[in-house]
């Protein structure tokens, strides 16, 4: 074996590269906002703003569905179960997803989603009748064959109602009954050409309905009942009359069970048995739908889950689909901020299995929930900036808040206690730097030392407008602080360096970099310092790379070397993540891009069409270098996947090779070779010492083999030796893999 290793080390290397791999995709979304419910014998399905889930009553368990599982719709608005047991979901964008429990598969119907004729496409309600699915949409009623998934008719004009009117509720009982924005449409008996407007009778306030919206129609004791924003009405065949008088007249939904009528209002669930009306449940949520079945009892869909008895039922997930900034701590936990200007819901922490929320309800010390920026320091402390109340430090679950009342930080002009910390960072001396938005004292940079001493600094080159926003603070290896200003004032890129003399401002260097100095545009949206110390500037016109950041230290008018990454030059770069191979992941408005370490090559392009990404508009990125996992934050939820870009081990300590054995069929899986040092070369040889394949790792902890030899052919069945070594041949590790050809 020693002779084999010596021979192989001396051989010249060819370096075939495998395509960038993304594996083990996962989606995470807030599924508290329930839009609709469909009951089964053992639980219920919920259509939510972040996907779908099934709740099993006997096991109190959840099964969630998103793009990874085959559900293409995200913002679900309707659900129903057809006579074959398939579960239908409708989305706000017109997409249909049909789940078959028999084979655990989804079928997507894209006819409405891809239709360019209609702007508003939401699926608002389903009715199942015989072999037809009736879908109430924002532009009429569509009929679908549940076996072929083909549309065979659409009705968009009902009597004198406006064409393409929104249909909110539909029932089918011999005739078709539709509640629309303008009133109620009922199919005329004996008509067959329902596309003709004259095939429908329509009813408005002229026939007794209120002018306020109609939300639901239903048959109760053979009477057609309408739930409106001004109460309940019944149809006598010609006109509409008040059916019941309630304290709260806004009717959100209705449900019938035998001779019982369940009535959902914003604050109460009423029960009517044909003679007596009683209050059944008082609600402290925002309800959306109601459902009753003998197996489930009363279910109320709401903005905080499905209400069943005293339970609020929804799967564990992020507090909201809001991820403006994310970071990883040293233990592999993902942390995410949530929002500003009243939209924040606190701070999310995800340990890989469960989500935990830090908000005012659980931690009153937070004061308010608008936590916007987030950062992990070298001692594993989490710092998060608040939109108005300074910033916090979370260390070992202890929370300390820094604000205008207990620190020298000063807030905005006219309201110095309103302190917005839009970004935080740490320098090489473990000082924490805070970027202060529109500080009244014009000192946008504050520093807190490990000894709890404060310093503040002014960047004289700043010129802020009334609504300017300074954000995304990064610190380069020279200690220069870089950030940008957006929305008003001198928008563009700023820098500041104190030269380590915190009390002496005479040697401070500062400046402003804009289009006139080489940037593609002043519209800067993201910053990152890469592993070479270069500054990557994401803008509305792609990426600029500043490769001589040290030039700002010795000149009042530095000549910066600014280049472009031409492969993404027309993209808006909202976020940048640097992986252990110094590759750059770029979040844009058109998906996710991976470029080489120098930006010259586009290595991968991912979007909602070719991957489980939940949205093409990417707001934030976070990379866990210990696992190679990238998290992608969007307004529709969070997506994660694993990459081979894992920080390498310092020394060989055995190879983990899997799957082992490798079973080669017509399309072989990749073999993972884990446990590599940086820039490992790999050779695959037979037990007789014959060279089969040679290649180099990408530079991280893992590499891949596709089971083929250097000619591109699958190798024969047998045992093969994997030899991994550094380029000087000083460190060598071996392993074995069995290959089975079918």
């Amino acid at each position: 074996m020693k002779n084999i290793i010596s021979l192989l080390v001396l051989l010249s290397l060819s370096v075939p590269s495998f395509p960038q791999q993304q594996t083990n995709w996962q989606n995470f979304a807030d599924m508290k906002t329930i839009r609709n419910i469909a009951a089964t014998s053992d639980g219920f399905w919920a259509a939510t703003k972040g996907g779908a889930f099934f709740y099993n009553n006997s096991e109190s368990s959840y099964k969630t569905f998103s793009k990874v599982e085959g559900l293409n719709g995200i913002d679900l608005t309707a659900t129903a179960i057809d006579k074959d047991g398939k579960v239908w979901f409708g989305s706000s964008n017109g997409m249909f997803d049909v789940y078959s429990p028999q084979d655990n598969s989804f079928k997507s119907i894209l006819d409405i989603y891809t239709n360019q004729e209609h702007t508003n496409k939401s699926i608002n309600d389903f009715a199942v009748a015989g072999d037809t699915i009736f879908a109430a949409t924002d532009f009429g009623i569509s009929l679908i064959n549940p076996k072929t998934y083909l549309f065979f008719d659409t009705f968009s004009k009902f009597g004198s109602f406006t064409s393409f009117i929104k249909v909110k509720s539909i029932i089918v009982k011999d005739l078709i009954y539709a509640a629309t924005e303008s009133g109620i449409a009922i199919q005329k008996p004996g008509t067959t050409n329902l596309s003709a407007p004259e095939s429908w009778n329509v009813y408005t306030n002229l026939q007794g309905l209120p002018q306020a919206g109609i939300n639901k129609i239903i048959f109760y004791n053979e009477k057609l009942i309408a739930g409106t924003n001004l109460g309940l009405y019944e149809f006598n065949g010609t006109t509409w009359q008040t059916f019941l008088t309630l304290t709260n007249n806004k009717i959100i939904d209705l449900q019938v069970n035998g001779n019982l009528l369940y009535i959902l209002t914003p604050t109460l669930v009423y029960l009517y048995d044909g003679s007596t009306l009683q209050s059944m449940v008082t609600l402290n949520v925002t309800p959306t739908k109601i459902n009753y079945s003998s197996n489930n009892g009363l279910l109320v869909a709401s903005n905080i889950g499905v209400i069943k008895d005293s339970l609020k039922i929804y799967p564990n997930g992020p507090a909201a689909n809001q991820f403006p900034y994310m970071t990883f701590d040293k233990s592999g936990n993902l942390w995410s901020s949530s929002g500003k200007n009243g939209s924040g819901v606190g701070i999310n922490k995800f340990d890989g299995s469960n989500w935990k929320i830090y908000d005012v309800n659980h931690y009153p010390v937070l004061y308010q929930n608008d936590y916007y920026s987030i950062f992990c320091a070298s001692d594993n402390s989490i710092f998060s900036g608040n939109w108005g109340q300074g910033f916090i430090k979370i260390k070992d679950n202890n929370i300390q808040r820094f604000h205008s009342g207990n620190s020298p930080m000063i807030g905005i002009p006219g309201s110095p206690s309103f302190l917005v910390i839009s970004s935080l960072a740490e320098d090489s001396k473990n000082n924490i730097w805070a970027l202060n938005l529109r500080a009244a004292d014009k000192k946008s940079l504050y520093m807190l030392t490990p000894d709890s001493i404060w310093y503040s600094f002014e960047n004289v080159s700043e010129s802020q407008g009334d609504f300017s926003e300074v954000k995304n603070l990064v610190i380069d290896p020279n200690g220069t602080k870089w950030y940008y200003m957006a929305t008003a004032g001198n928008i563009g890129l700023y820098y500041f360096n104190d030269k380590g003399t915190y009390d002496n401002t005479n040697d401070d260097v500062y400046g402003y970099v804009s289009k006139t100095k080489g940037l593609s545009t002043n519209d800067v949206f993201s910053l990152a310092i890469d592993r070479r110390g270069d500054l990557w500037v994401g803008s509305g016109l792609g990426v600029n790379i500043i490769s001589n950041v040290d030039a700002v230290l010795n000149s009042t008018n530095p000549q910066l070397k600014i280049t472009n990454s031409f492969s993404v030059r027309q993209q808006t770069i909202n976020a940048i993540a640097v992986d252990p191979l110094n590759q750059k992941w770029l979040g844009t408005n058109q998906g996710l891009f991976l470029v080489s370490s120098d930006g010259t090559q586009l290595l991968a392009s991912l979007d909602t069409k070719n991957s489980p990404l939940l949205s093409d508009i990417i707001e934030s990125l976070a990379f866990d270098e210990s696992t190679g996992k990238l998290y992608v934050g969007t307004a529709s939820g969070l997506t994660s996947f694993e990459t081979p870009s894992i920080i390498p081990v310092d020394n060989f300590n055995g190879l983990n090779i899997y799957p082992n054995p490798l079973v080669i069929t017509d399309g072989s899986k990749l073999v993972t070779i884990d446990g590599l040092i940086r820039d490992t070369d790999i050779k695959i040889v037979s037990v007789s010492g014959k060279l089969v394949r040679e290649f180099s790792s990408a530079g991280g902890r893992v590499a891949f083999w596709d089971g083929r030899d250097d000619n591109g052919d699958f190798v024969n069945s047998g045992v093969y030796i994997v030899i991994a070594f550094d380029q000087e041949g000083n460190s060598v590790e071996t392993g074995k893999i069995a290959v089975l050809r079918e």
Side-chain angles (χ1 to χ4, degrees):
M1 178 58 69
K2 290 182 178 178
N3 291 333
I4 294 174
I5 295 173
S6 299
L7 173 63
L8 295 178
V9 172
L10 292 174
L11 290 174
S12 61
L13 293 173
S14 62
V15 191
S17 61
F18 295 106
Q20 181 69 215
Q21 299 296 315
Q22 296 87 40
T23 58
N24 296 328
W25 289 80
Q26 288 183 281
N27 290 140
F28 309 93
D30 174 21
M31 293 191 183
K32 292 193 301 296
T33 302
I34 315 296
R35 299 287 180 66
N36 215 322
I37 310 169
T40 69
S41 60
D42 56 351
F44 63 85
W45 288 90
T48 85
K49 192 176 180 181
F53 70 84
F54 178 76
Y55 180 75
N56 185 295
N57 287 324
S58 61
E59 299 175 358
S60 299
S61 63
Y62 300 89
K63 187 174 182 180
T64 59
F65 297 85
S66 64
K67 288 191 70 177
V68 170
E69 291 76 29
L71 175 74
N72 279 305
I74 299 171
D75 185 10
L76 304 183
T77 50
T79 185
I81 301 174
D82 68 20
K83 69 174 189 176
D84 295 323
K86 292 181 294 187
V87 187
W88 288 67
F89 297 101
S91 302
S92 61
N93 61 5
M95 188 174 291
F96 293 86
D97 288 291
V98 187
Y99 176 70
S100 173
Q102 289 76 16
D103 57 9
N104 190 33
S105 67
F106 275 94
K107 167 69 176 179
S108 295
I109 308 174
L110 307 179
D111 299 59
I112 294 177
Y113 172 73
T114 58
N115 189 306
Q116 300 299 314
E117 183 179 1
H118 306 294
T119 302
N120 299 319
K121 305 178 182 183
S122 178
I123 312 302
N124 304 313
D125 194 17
F126 286 119
V128 181
D131 292 327
T132 303
I133 302 295
F134 294 79
T137 76
D138 273 357
F139 57 85
I141 299 172
S142 291
L143 281 58
I144 309 169
N145 185 318
K147 296 188 181 299
T148 64
Y149 306 107
L150 297 177
F151 285 72
F152 60 87
D153 219 337
T154 294
F155 316 136
S156 55
K157 176 64 174 170
F158 308 96
S160 59
F161 288 167
T162 304
S163 296
F164 306 115
I165 197 169
K166 180 178 182 179
V167 179
K168 301 174 70 175
S169 175
I170 184 173
I171 54 177
V172 180
K173 185 180 181 182
D174 298 327
L175 303 175
I176 303 172
Y177 303 79
T180 78
E181 283 186 317
S182 296
I184 293 175
I186 302 176
Q187 175 191 356
K188 291 180 180 179
T191 54
T192 56
N193 181 21
L194 299 185
S195 296
E198 59 270 19
S199 296
W200 301 84
N201 289 318
V202 295
Y203 302 89
T204 66
N205 61 306
L206 298 178
Q207 289 79 36
L209 286 170
Q211 290 186 337
I214 300 164
N215 301 315
K216 182 75 173 183
I217 53 174
I218 200 166
F219 272 97
Y220 171 65
N221 288 342
E222 301 303 317
K223 295 180 180 179
L224 181 62
I225 306 296
T228 78
N229 287 335
L230 289 176
L232 288 165
Y233 288 77
E234 64 175 310
F235 185 53
N236 65 10
T238 305
T239 60
W240 294 82
Q241 303 166 357
T242 300
F243 177 62
L244 287 174
T245 301
L246 290 76
T247 303
N248 190 328
N249 274 334
K250 182 175 182 179
I251 310 301
I252 297 172
D253 197 17
L254 301 168
Q255 178 79 29
V256 172
N257 178 41
N259 70 334
L260 299 177
L261 176 64
Y262 294 88
I263 306 166
L264 178 64
T265 73
T267 57
L268 291 168
V269 177
Y270 291 96
L271 179 62
Y272 180 66
D273 63 4
S275 59
T276 303
L277 178 70
Q278 61 178 338
S279 300
M280 186 179 180
V281 179
T282 300
L283 301 171
N284 58 357
V285 298
T286 302
T288 53
K289 290 288 182 180
I290 195 171
N291 187 285
Y292 183 90
S293 66
S294 57
N295 298 306
N296 291 278
L298 180 65
L299 304 174
V300 179
S302 81
N303 64 320
I304 52 172
V306 176
I307 310 302
K308 181 181 181 182
D309 299 323
S310 59
L311 299 176
K312 295 175 182 176
I313 300 172
Y314 58 90
N316 180 254
N321 294 332
Q322 300 166 193
F323 310 94
Y325 293 98
M326 300 186 294
T327 190
F328 275 98
D329 66 20
K330 311 305 180 188
S331 303
N333 299 304
L334 176 74
W335 295 77
S336 170
S337 56
S338 63
K340 61 181 182 178
N341 290 336
S343 68
V345 294
I347 299 168
N348 286 303
K349 177 186 177 183
F350 181 56
D351 64 6
S353 299
N354 295 297
W355 292 85
K356 178 179 180 179
I357 179 67
Y358 289 79
D359 61 12
V360 173
N361 288 336
H362 298 91
Y363 299 91
V365 67
L366 296 181
Y367 197 78
Q368 62 113 306
N369 288 328
D370 280 341
Y371 284 91
Y372 179 58
S373 57
I374 198 155
F375 169 75
C376 181
S378 57
D379 68 349
N380 214 30
S381 296
I382 296 296
F383 290 86
S384 186
N386 188 278
W387 200 266
Q389 295 298 324
F391 67 90
I392 61 165
K393 174 184 178 181
I394 304 176
K395 176 68 172 176
D396 299 326
N397 217 34
N398 295 314
I399 301 175
Q400 183 179 5
R401 187 164 73 92
F402 302 91
H403 52 88
S404 61
N406 67 356
S407 79
M409 295 185 293
I410 297 175
I412 64 174
S415 183
S417 63
F418 190 84
L419 180 62
V420 175
I421 302 302
S422 57
S423 190
L424 296 125
E426 182 182 29
D427 65 21
S428 60
K429 298 179 181 178
N430 305 123
N431 300 309
I432 299 299
W433 290 79
L435 191 58
N436 185 0
L437 172 65
R438 290 187 61 218
D441 61 358
K442 297 188 180 301
K443 295 182 177 180
S444 57
L445 289 166
Y446 277 79
M447 188 188 78
L448 177 62
T449 72
D451 297 327
S452 300
I453 300 173
W454 288 91
Y455 294 91
S456 59
F457 305 90
E458 178 183 0
N459 187 333
V460 181
S461 59
E462 288 183 16
S463 175
Q464 297 193 19
D466 289 341
F467 300 99
S468 62
E469 182 175 346
V470 290
K471 57 197 302 186
N472 207 179
L473 177 66
V474 296
I475 303 177
D476 71 21
N478 305 303
T480 302
K481 275 60 71 174
W482 299 84
Y483 56 96
Y484 61 85
M485 186 177 295
T487 72
N490 283 345
I491 62 174
L493 179 64
Y494 289 83
Y495 61 87
F496 176 86
N497 195 306
D498 52 83
K499 297 285 188 73
T501 57
Y502 309 136
D503 292 316
N504 179 13
T505 61
N506 293 327
D507 60 353
D508 292 351
V509 295
Y510 49 81
Y512 169 59
V513 184
S514 62
K515 186 176 180 179
T516 59
K517 293 188 177 181
L519 293 183
S520 298
T521 173
N522 292 344
D523 293 321
V524 178
F525 299 109
S526 54
L527 298 175
I529 300 293
D530 76 1
R531 293 178 180 273
R532 283 195 295 257
D534 294 344
L535 176 65
W536 283 59
V537 183
S539 74
L541 291 176
V543 169
N544 290 128
I545 305 164
I546 302 178
S547 56
N548 63 332
V549 291
D550 57 337
V552 303
L553 297 177
N554 303 310
S555 173
T556 57
N557 185 27
Q559 300 302 305
L560 296 173
K561 296 177 182 177
I562 302 178
T563 58
N564 298 321
S565 176
F566 288 99
S567 55
V568 291
R569 61 185 179 277
Q570 296 302 318
Q571 299 293 334
T572 296
I573 311 299
N574 301 319
I576 305 173
V578 182
D579 71 19
L581 305 183
N582 207 29
Q583 301 171 139
K584 314 305 185 300
W585 295 87
L586 308 176
T588 77
N589 291 336
Q590 295 180 329
L592 181 66
F593 295 86
L594 174 64
V595 298
S596 59
S597 61
D598 59 3
T600 59
Q601 299 179 40
L602 178 63
L603 304 178
S605 175
L606 302 171
D607 57 27
T608 54
K609 296 181 179 64
N610 65 9
S611 78
L613 285 176
L614 295 173
S615 172
D616 287 335
I617 301 176
I618 294 167
E619 299 176 343
S620 60
L621 298 169
F623 199 94
D624 183 0
E625 63 179 23
S626 64
T627 63
K629 184 174 287 188
L630 179 68
Y631 281 79
V632 184
T634 77
S636 297
L638 187 69
T639 300
S640 73
F641 55 84
E642 295 177 3
T643 78
S645 302
I646 306 173
I647 193 166
V649 296
D650 293 330
N651 300 289
F652 284 125
N653 189 26
L655 299 179
N656 182 17
I657 303 172
Y658 58 91
N660 196 355
L662 170 65
V663 180
I664 294 179
T665 58
D666 56 347
S668 174
K669 294 182 178 179
L670 292 175
V671 174
T672 300
I673 305 168
D674 194 350
L676 306 178
I677 62 177
R678 188 173 298 279
D679 299 326
T680 299
D681 293 331
I682 296 170
K683 293 187 181 291
I684 312 293
V685 300
S686 67
V687 290
S688 64
K690 180 182 178 182
L691 176 64
V692 173
R693 187 71 177 272
E694 55 183 347
F695 54 90
S696 294
S697 73
R701 201 185 74 194
V702 299
F704 300 98
W705 178 44
D706 58 3
R708 299 176 187 269
D709 60 22
D710 277 336
N711 295 321
D713 300 320
F714 285 121
V715 300
N716 295 323
S717 296
V719 175
Y720 293 84
I721 300 170
V722 178
I723 306 171
F725 53 93
D726 66 2
Q727 293 180 353
E728 288 75 30
N730 297 321
S731 299
V732 180
E733 189 66 79
T734 63
K736 292 182 180 181
I737 183 169
V739 176
L740 300 177
R741 288 284 300 269
E742 288 190 348

